[in-house]
Amino acid sequence: MIPTLRPNEYFGQYGRITKILLVKRTPPGGRGSVLGLYITYYRREDAARAIQAVDGSPSPSGGGDVMRASYR
């Protein structure tokens, strides 16, 4: 899955990526699991562009989920 996210069709369109980390968590209460995707860009400006483009947009998984993006 991670190599799929690097090209220009996905997160690579915002700049050079140095690292991608995918974390799956199960919140307390046993609700459905949550995926966290942490992307590190070579330049801070590229990260800012990615955050602006992605934050609040519909999740590609559908189901009415919304993607959240921020600096970490």
Side-chain angles (χ1 to χ4, degrees), residues 1-58:
M1 178 177 183
I2 289 178
T4 303
L5 300 174
R6 275 189 190 274
N8 288 340
E9 294 83 22
Y10 295 100
F11 293 100
Q13 67 183 298
Y14 305 110
R16 192 169 110 199
I17 296 172
T18 59
K19 181 172 63 171
I20 297 178
L21 178 65
L22 183 64
V23 178
K24 185 176 181 180
R25 289 179 256 154
T26 303
R31 297 184 334 220
S33 55
V34 175
L35 282 177
L37 181 62
Y38 299 90
I39 301 174
T40 304
Y41 285 91
Y42 183 74
R43 296 179 340 151
R44 188 170 182 86
E45 305 84 52
D46 297 339
R49 231 182 17 255
I51 290 168
Q52 185 177 23
V54 171
D55 190 42
S57 62

